[in-house]
Amino acid sequence: MYVILVYDINEKRVQKVLKICRKFLHWVQNSVFEGEITEAKLFKLKQQLNHVIDPEEDSVVIYTFLTEKYSRREILGKNKAVTDVII
Amino acid sequence: MYVILVYDINEKRVQKVLKICRKFLHWVQNSVFEGEITEAKLFKLKQQLNHVIDPEEDSVVIYTFLTEKYSRREILGKNKAVTDVII
């Protein structure tokens, strides 16, 4: 299945979250990851994130799509995934 | 159709982008909007954004889904859309 993951994390923890997400998904732009992932790996990703984030302060939204068939992806402006180094 | 919009905008322009997005979609968390939208309104949204962003520096990624049928949305941690005031 296909996943889009966006996060809004306190600066103290954002590097850890970035490292975890990079193991499972592709960096798209600041605080946004996406990619194909199995249910088992998604479970692992969520487990690792839950160990790091502060549920009172941090937020991770995961959109899961069983198929990309009905979806479209457009970029206005710069495609940061191609040009920028992941910060 | 359903849209998820994420942006990575220079601070000088981010307030303008936020205002435009709020006219068409729901704020989810920092730099993330989503919601139902018609093709005509999406066209208008993109037009207005293209007038504001610097294509050399700013990035807006728009995921469009013809149906929400095959999708799922999960939140780890805080649901900022409910609790936080839009910044």
Side-chain angles (χ1 to χ4, degrees):
Chain A
M1 59 198 171
Y2 202 78
V3 154
I4 299 165
L5 183 149
V6 297
Y7 57 69
D8 191 350
I9 305 289
N10 181 300
E11 266 185 14
K12 289 176 288 184
R13 291 179 290 278
V14 74
Q15 280 306 316
K16 276 189 192 162
V17 168
L18 177 72
K19 267 190 199 137
I20 292 171
C21 292
R22 267 202 328 220
K23 291 190 291 186
F24 295 90
L25 298 169
H26 309 294
W27 184 82
V28 173
Q29 63 173 232
N30 194 13
S31 315
V32 181
F33 280 80
E34 69 176 70
E36 280 291 330
I37 192 170
T38 62
E39 194 79 59
K41 282 195 171 159
L42 180 57
F43 180 80
K44 244 182 172 179
L45 167 58
K46 289 190 283 188
Q47 239 182 5
Q48 293 181 23
L49 288 175
N50 274 322
H51 270 114
V52 169
I53 67 172
D54 172 350
E56 296 305 314
E57 200 184 330
D58 301 332
S59 172
V60 178
V61 183
I62 301 173
Y63 301 93
T64 308
F65 303 88
L66 299 185
T67 169
E68 282 180 270
K69 224 163 73 178
Y70 305 99
S71 63
R72 193 174 75 210
R73 183 177 185 278
E74 288 170 273
I75 293 180
L76 305 183
K78 197 174 169 186
N79 181 351
K80 298 213 171 188
V82 171
T83 53
D84 285 25
V85 176
I86 300 171
I87 35 164
Chain B
M1 59 196 172
Y2 202 80
V3 155
I4 299 164
L5 183 149
V6 296
Y7 57 69
D8 191 350
I9 305 288
N10 182 298
E11 268 185 9
K12 288 177 289 185
R13 291 178 291 277
V14 74
Q15 280 305 316
K16 277 189 193 160
V17 167
L18 178 71
K19 268 191 198 134
I20 292 170
C21 291
R22 268 202 329 224
K23 291 190 294 187
F24 296 89
L25 298 169
H26 309 295
W27 184 82
V28 174
Q29 62 172 237
N30 194 13
S31 317
V32 181
F33 280 80
E34 68 176 68
E36 281 291 331
I37 193 169
T38 62
E39 194 78 59
K41 282 194 172 161
L42 180 57
F43 181 80
K44 242 180 167 180
L45 168 59
K46 287 190 282 189
Q47 241 182 1
Q48 293 181 22
L49 288 174
N50 274 322
H51 271 116
V52 169
I53 67 172
D54 172 350
E56 296 304 313
E57 200 185 330
D58 301 332
S59 171
V60 178
V61 183
I62 301 172
Y63 301 93
T64 308
F65 303 89
L66 298 186
T67 170
E68 281 181 271
K69 225 164 72 177
Y70 304 99
S71 63
R72 192 174 76 211
R73 183 179 185 279
E74 287 170 274
I75 294 181
L76 305 182
K78 198 173 168 187
N79 181 351
K80 299 217 170 186
V82 172
T83 52
D84 285 26
V85 175
I86 300 172
I87 34 165

